[in-house]
Amino acid sequence: MSARRPLNNGATSAKSSPEATIPPTVRPETPSNDAADTTSARKQPPPEKPSDVRRRTYVILSFWLIVLLLGLPIWWETTTIYRANLPLSEMLDWADGKACRPVFPLRISIQANSLHEQEAQNLLRLTQHALDDLNDFSGHHLRLQLSPPAAKEAEKDDAGAALTIRLIPGESTTSTLDPYSPILDITYPPHTIPSATSSSSSLATYVASQLRATFAEEQAIISYLLSSDSMPSDHRPQGLTPEAADSLSKRTTRSLKHAPTYHLTFSLFTSGPLPSSWDIEAAIAEFMKPVLDVLSPIHNFTIDTQVQLYATPGVQNQVLTKEDLSSFINAAEWPLSPSIGGAPTVNFIVFVGNQTILAAPQGSPDETDRTSQSWLIPQWGTVYLLPLPSDTTHVSAEKLKQPLLTFTSHLLSLTGTPQSGSLPLRLSTLARIRSADLLLRASSTLGSLARLALALPSISIPESVADGVSKTMSHLRLACETLGGAEGLGHARIAEAEAERAFFEKSMVGQLYFPDEHKLAVYIPLLGPVGVPLLLGLLNEIKAWRKRRRERAEQQATKKKE
Amino acid sequence: MDGAKVTLGRTAALYAGAAVLRLALFTLFPGLPDLLTGRVEISTPVTSFKRLQEGLFLYNHNVSPYDGGVYHQAPLFLPLFSLLPSFATLPIFTYLLYIAVDLLSASALIKIADSGEAGSSVHFTSPRREKRWSGFIVAAVFLFNPFTIATCIGRSTSVFTTAAILHAIAKAVAGAPFSAMVAISFASYLSLYPLLLLPPLLILCYDRRNALKPIPSRYNFAVSNVALVVGVIAVLFQMSRFLTGSWEFLPSTYGVQLTLSDLTPNIGLWWYFFIEMFDSFRSFFLAVFWLHLSCYVGGLSIRIRRQPLVVLTLLLGLFAIFKPYPSISDASLFLAMVPLYRHVFPLMRYTFVIAAVIMYTTFLGPAFYHLWIYAGSGNANFFYAITLVWGLGLSLLVCDLTFAVLRDEWEVERPEMVGKDIRQI
């Protein structure tokens, strides 16, 4: 009989099979000649040699030394997340509007050459009172000042003033806005000049109400911007009626997102082989360039043109209804690239054809935006239907006059220019609106970034983001101080660009969604199988070491007893 | 006397046969070398002959060979291949060089086998040592191994590393530490990973040298030899810098191996893993993979201290599986060393499974690669699955050989257990 007990021979264990033993094979039919079997059926393995025990300890130690001395420092070094310090509370202050009260101080100079200094001062004081009484929105200040008569010729240089009021003696109280320069002419009958002691004057009230009317739209737009943003309520203007807010929101959605540069694409589409050329360059130079030049402090424009023959529109009807307009653009076939070189594209399309547009029903809100031949597509551009004789081969600049004038007015509307007032006033208003808009947008981006950094403690924040944030904040501060001027717009523009760059930092975007469970999924599949034998080896070794120590202690105890 | 002559004659015939076979393959099938050069199983980014030619072209036109980001091999290859007549006009010289390198490897292998180190080292003598293969057979197995032949025809530069490693071992077995250290420095210079073979090689040198002529101080021996390796590598680096004009070659050769920046598929396990890896964990797992590769050195050297050649063999096997850019050339080096252990083959348990798995992957690997890259009917997982099975086959062989060697040791201590089955409790 050769039934043997498993023999523990760890002393000579193979590394691949640490506890190799003889299995308990039972083979009764083969009588064994082995002496060991006959003496004891269940043989214990010989004790491990101390040198073998030590060798095993060394082997385990060699693995653990690599893990502890190289593995751990490398793990620490390579997986530590770098988080640059962000001024989180300041960033949130900006987002909440606590850091900056957007105030637009508008200086309005009064030229009253025919009045005495004293009278003029008095009139100014009264008008200012009247204005302050009328004003319910602290963000938008109209400050009157008297321009000295000597400065009459230098009025153009007085860039600080948003508007100049010229008081001219006349027969009745009238006002006219100069269409080409920011000047409001007010005529007054001489008897309406207030005396030095009077506390009210009809002329002062009239001037105040005229001023207010002139800036009403700007005020409404700015207060709309502020109210749609997360401004604190005490700072929020109250006087916005729901209808006004509605029309303003419509206008805001129509206008393009602000960009320093817009790309204008002029396209001539025709459904047949003709016309095949057009005098677009001359037409642009003549009809559009002046407005582009005026807009140039706020935006740059790049222009390209194209002619496309045999272009079929998305709708072939002779009379286009309102529903047809949205599908008229054949987006699949017409080569209208969405944006060239990063700048947003404004498309102006002249379509040669004799389709007509069904007039909108009376009272439709869009009525004003559309002539019978053109329509404006929000944030995209304009389509103009140009009827031409079928044998026209060349479209002259003269024929393009009407389309280009339409395009120009639509461009102003697309850039978000207010609709009332003279052109210079509208443009200076546009600059102020844009700077407010950019300021708010940069602030809210900062706030989003701060909230992101707070919400995701495991996201890394590279130095470039901290840099961008500090640049944004310094430019925001400057913009806030110089709000209303050209400088303010420049700073707000830089601030917005920097904030966007910091927020969309490439290395952060990839980590936006990386919860801690993912780390488990990254570590476990490889390090789990590697770690288990390492840990078990260490545990066994510690157990064996404690056992040996106990045995030695017992031995010593028995020796002492003896 | 006669016997020696006969052996000499047989060896010469073996060399001649191997050389003729290779030359025939080179010349009779003119498309074959280029076909094999393009195979990912043979040419890795750090050994490819195509990339070497690119580097050579740039080098000969006085442009830094590393400028294109294609060449990742040691700079000293460039003057060597520039000295040969142009490959485009007279390829025969390149062929002859590769054949000569293979034969050099074989001669080193014969020296290792004939020393009998595998059967009886200084501290351990196997009771089975009589049953062994002569150097002739071991060399024949190496020279006619299809993997070796394919590597030679594919002109992978890893054959130079193979020759350097085998010569280092042969010199160590002969008790010549200086030559061994110089050879291992060359191997490390060419492909970095042989540096990990230094500890067991030092032990082997020490044992053999000590047996010939007692060495007074182990510590001095180790330090002086390590210093020698460092010195030789430093000299090689200086020469490389002199040749290329800058230290740029360091990141382009060793940097690529350390950071795995070229993710061209190969038969190893790294490329797929690092394609899938999150970027933020990439550097950590690179370190883990390299530590994994190097952590066996200490453990094995301590555990099988008495047979350092076994440690070297097992490490070569592990490198063939786990190194960053393995090719069948690494497997062929390992398979060249395995026949030295003919005497423990009877103790191995999975020889059939191992042979079957290696054959299976040898045929299916190229097929699946074709399905993935050319036919488009498979994807990367097809090829990766096969490389996993290939790794499994090789690791089975490594484990089984480890087991057999340890069992052999154990039976010397416990003679009564000879022939008994073992079981894990």
Side-chain angles (χ1 to χ4, degrees), chain A residues 30-342:
Chain A
T30 52
S32 170
N33 298 330
D34 199 327
D37 290 338
T38 49
T39 49
S40 70
R42 317 204 134 191
K43 203 186 106 183
Q44 291 296 315
E48 273 185 302
K49 281 190 277 178
S51 67
D52 289 348
V53 174
R54 218 175 314 133
R55 187 174 63 189
R56 194 171 57 206
T57 313
Y58 285 150
V59 169
I60 290 171
L61 211 65
S62 81
F63 282 102
W64 273 100
L65 276 182
I66 288 184
V67 170
L68 295 178
L69 293 186
L70 293 172
L72 275 186
I74 287 175
W75 172 75
W76 183 253
E77 189 62 33
T78 54
T79 58
T80 313
I81 296 161
Y82 179 76
R83 282 173 75 90
N85 269 330
L86 292 183
L88 290 179
S89 61
E90 275 184 70
M91 288 161 71
L92 288 174
D93 280 355
W94 274 104
D96 297 340
K98 287 179 201 153
C100 171
R101 276 170 69 98
V103 175
F104 298 88
L106 294 183
R107 282 193 296 134
I108 291 159
S109 61
I110 296 183
Q111 275 183 11
N113 297 334
S114 53
L115 289 182
H116 293 297
E117 179 81 14
Q118 191 59 41
E119 283 172 336
Q121 284 289 359
N122 197 28
L123 177 68
L124 189 140
R125 185 175 51 80
L126 287 174
T127 316
Q128 186 70 56
H129 268 301
L131 269 177
D132 290 351
D133 287 346
L134 281 170
N135 203 354
D136 53 355
F137 174 34
S138 59
H140 202 257
H141 266 297
L142 299 178
R143 281 270 158 269
L144 298 180
Q145 65 179 33
L146 201 59
S147 81
K152 190 180 176 185
E153 295 310 315
E155 66 188 43
K156 292 281 181 202
D157 303 336
D158 194 4
L163 184 71
T164 306
I165 298 177
R166 264 201 302 234
L167 287 176
I168 303 161
E171 286 170 6
S172 62
T173 319
T174 57
S175 72
T176 41
L177 202 56
D178 192 318
Y180 303 111
S181 53
I183 293 174
L184 185 69
D185 286 320
I186 294 183
T187 58
Y188 63 95
H191 63 87
T192 52
I193 296 292
S195 65
T197 52
S198 69
S199 58
S200 71
S201 140
S202 61
L203 177 63
T205 321
Y206 179 76
V207 171
S209 67
Q210 282 302 315
L211 276 176
R212 218 176 116 63
T214 311
F215 289 104
E217 189 181 8
E218 175 180 345
Q219 199 172 349
I221 292 174
I222 288 177
S223 61
Y224 170 75
L225 280 177
L226 295 183
S227 69
S228 60
D229 205 71
S230 54
M231 282 287 149
S233 56
D234 61 321
H235 195 204
R236 195 172 289 176
Q238 306 297 327
L240 216 55
T241 59
E243 299 88 62
D246 195 41
S247 82
L248 280 172
S249 94
K250 202 170 247 167
R251 180 164 339 147
T252 328
T253 47
R254 182 188 305 154
S255 65
L256 283 151
K257 202 176 159 239
H258 177 270
T261 306
Y262 288 122
H263 185 80
L264 309 182
T265 301
F266 294 89
S267 316
L268 178 72
F269 287 110
T270 137
S271 53
L274 293 172
S276 57
S277 64
W278 58 337
D279 250 348
I280 186 67
E281 275 173 42
I284 289 175
E286 189 172 349
F287 306 117
M288 203 154 191
K289 198 83 175 86
V291 175
L292 296 187
D293 287 344
V294 171
L295 279 171
S296 63
I298 308 172
H299 301 290
N300 293 321
F301 294 98
T302 56
I303 294 173
D304 77 336
T305 67
Q306 61 175 349
V307 178
Q308 188 73 22
L309 307 177
Y310 295 109
T312 39
V315 181
Q316 311 269 6
N317 300 349
Q318 185 57 43
V319 177
L320 301 172
T321 61
K322 193 182 171 193
E323 288 70 36
D324 292 336
L325 297 183
S326 56
S327 51
F328 185 81
I329 303 289
N330 191 346
E333 287 174 24
W334 291 2
L336 298 165
S337 70
S339 80
I340 293 169

Side-chain angles (χ1 to χ4, degrees), chain B residues 184-424:
Chain B
I184 200 73
S185 310
F186 266 94
S188 310
Y189 168 77
L190 294 180
S191 26
L192 183 67
Y193 78 93
L195 202 59
L196 293 172
L197 294 173
L198 188 59
L201 198 70
L202 270 178
I203 296 175
L204 182 61
C205 279
Y206 176 78
D207 283 355
R208 280 298 194 153
R209 182 78 178 165
N210 205 22
L212 293 175
K213 192 178 91 184
I215 297 171
S217 159
R218 281 191 222 186
Y219 179 74
N220 279 350
F221 178 79
V223 167
S224 60
N225 279 310
V226 170
L228 176 62
V229 169
V230 171
V232 173
I233 291 181
V235 168
L236 287 173
F237 278 179
Q238 280 298 341
M239 284 165 68
S240 308
R241 195 184 84 96
F242 176 71
L243 278 174
T244 55
S246 71
W247 290 110
E248 191 193 0
F249 71 92
L250 285 178
S252 317
T253 53
Y254 310 110
V256 166
Q257 299 218 28
L258 286 173
T259 60
L260 205 82
S261 45
D262 193 319
L263 286 170
T264 313
N266 54 50
I267 58 166
L269 309 173
W270 289 49
W271 62 274
Y272 192 85
F273 197 84
F274 284 97
I275 286 174
E276 302 285 322
M277 179 51 62
F278 290 113
D279 266 354
S280 47
F281 286 99
R282 195 183 149 86
S283 45
F284 170 65
F285 275 97
L286 277 172
V288 168
F289 270 52
W290 268 105
L291 284 184
H292 172 246
L293 190 64
S294 45
C295 74
Y296 293 103
V297 177
L300 281 177
S301 302
I302 296 169
R303 180 61 189 86
I304 321 180
R305 163 69 184 84
R306 292 188 287 180
Q307 302 185 65
L309 189 60
V310 173
V311 179
L312 288 168
T313 309
L314 294 176
L315 283 178
L316 286 175
L318 288 169
F319 293 160
I321 306 166
F322 294 122
K323 67 179 264 209
Y325 293 106
S327 67
I328 60 167
S329 148
D330 301 281
S332 78
L333 175 57
F334 175 50
L335 293 178
M337 298 287 282
V338 169
L340 297 174
Y341 295 91
R342 170 70 185 89
H343 59 285
V344 296
F345 280 5
L347 294 174
M348 289 170 67
R349 296 166 296 176
Y350 306 118
T351 38
F352 172 72
V353 178
I354 293 164
V357 166
I358 289 182
M359 303 261 277
Y360 165 83
T361 48
T362 307
F363 289 110
L364 268 191
F368 277 8
Y369 187 76
H370 180 86
L371 282 189
W372 170 31
I373 297 291
Y374 302 106
S377 50
N379 57 29
N381 297 329
F382 280 53
F383 184 62
Y384 186 59
I386 284 301
T387 63
L388 279 180
V389 178
W390 165 263
L392 175 77
L394 285 184
S395 48
L396 262 182
L397 181 53
V398 171
C399 289
D400 216 14
L401 188 63
T402 317
F403 167 78
V405 167
L406 289 175
R407 166 99 197 193
D408 190 41
E409 275 191 11
W410 179 61
E411 283 180 356
V412 172
E413 277 170 33
R414 305 281 304 277
E416 74 274 16
M417 291 303 172
V418 172
K420 304 271 164 57
D421 279 345
I422 57 146
R423 203 190 68 164
Q424 183 166 16

Side-chain angles (χ1 to χ4, degrees), chain B residues 33-310:
Chain B
D34 286 335
L35 172 77
L36 290 181
T37 304
R39 300 296 313 180
V40 287
E41 297 89 345
I42 296 165
S43 295
T44 64
V46 293
T47 60
S48 162
F49 185 67
K50 239 186 212 170
R51 291 170 185 257
L52 175 70
Q53 280 176 299
E54 168 79 12
L56 207 57
F57 181 86
L58 293 177
Y59 175 73
N60 286 334
H61 287 75
N62 281 329
V63 180
S64 165
Y66 298 102
D67 266 1
V70 171
Y71 182 62
H72 302 305
Q73 299 166 43
L76 285 186
F77 279 129
L78 300 170
L80 172 69
F81 281 88
S82 317
L83 281 179
L84 291 179
S86 160
F87 176 76
T89 50
L90 281 172
I92 188 74
F93 287 96
T94 310
Y95 299 158
L96 288 177
L97 174 71
Y98 274 89
I99 293 170
V101 172
D102 259 15
L103 297 184
L104 272 178
S105 304
S107 77
L109 208 52
I110 289 177
K111 278 181 211 150
I112 299 168
D114 286 342
S115 72
E117 167 74 23
S120 70
S121 64
V122 173
H123 294 292
F124 174 79
T125 303
S126 167
R128 304 164 193 270
R129 67 181 176 285
E130 292 312 322
K131 198 175 169 190
R132 68 187 181 95
W133 279 335
S134 67
F136 174 78
I137 297 177
V138 173
V141 169
F142 171 70
L143 284 175
F144 292 101
N145 182 346
F147 293 150
T148 317
I149 297 175
T151 309
C152 179
I153 307 294
R155 291 156 301 171
S156 155
T157 51
S158 57
V159 295
F160 295 93
T161 313
T162 303
I165 292 175
L166 285 176
H167 273 277
I169 297 174
K171 289 297 173 191
V173 167
F178 183 84
S179 317
M181 291 306 131
V182 171
I184 200 73
S185 310
F186 266 94
S188 310
Y189 168 77
L190 294 180
S191 26
L192 183 67
Y193 78 93
L195 202 59
L196 293 172
L197 294 173
L198 188 59
L201 198 70
L202 270 178
I203 296 175
L204 182 61
C205 279
Y206 176 78
D207 283 355
R208 280 298 194 153
R209 182 78 178 165
N210 205 22
L212 293 175
K213 192 178 91 184
I215 297 171
S217 159
R218 281 191 222 186
Y219 179 74
N220 279 350
F221 178 79
V223 167
S224 60
N225 279 310
V226 170
L228 176 62
V229 169
V230 171
V232 173
I233 291 181
V235 168
L236 287 173
F237 278 179
Q238 280 298 341
M239 284 165 68
S240 308
R241 195 184 84 96
F242 176 71
L243 278 174
T244 55
S246 71
W247 290 110
E248 191 193 0
F249 71 92
L250 285 178
S252 317
T253 53
Y254 310 110
V256 166
Q257 299 218 28
L258 286 173
T259 60
L260 205 82
S261 45
D262 193 319
L263 286 170
T264 313
N266 54 50
I267 58 166
L269 309 173
W270 289 49
W271 62 274
Y272 192 85
F273 197 84
F274 284 97
I275 286 174
E276 302 285 322
M277 179 51 62
F278 290 113
D279 266 354
S280 47
F281 286 99
R282 195 183 149 86
S283 45
F284 170 65
F285 275 97
L286 277 172
V288 168
F289 270 52
W290 268 105
L291 284 184
H292 172 246
L293 190 64
S294 45
C295 74
Y296 293 103
V297 177
L300 281 177
S301 302
I302 296 169
R303 180 61 189 86
I304 321 180
R305 163 69 184 84
R306 292 188 287 180
Q307 302 185 65
L309 189 60
V310 173

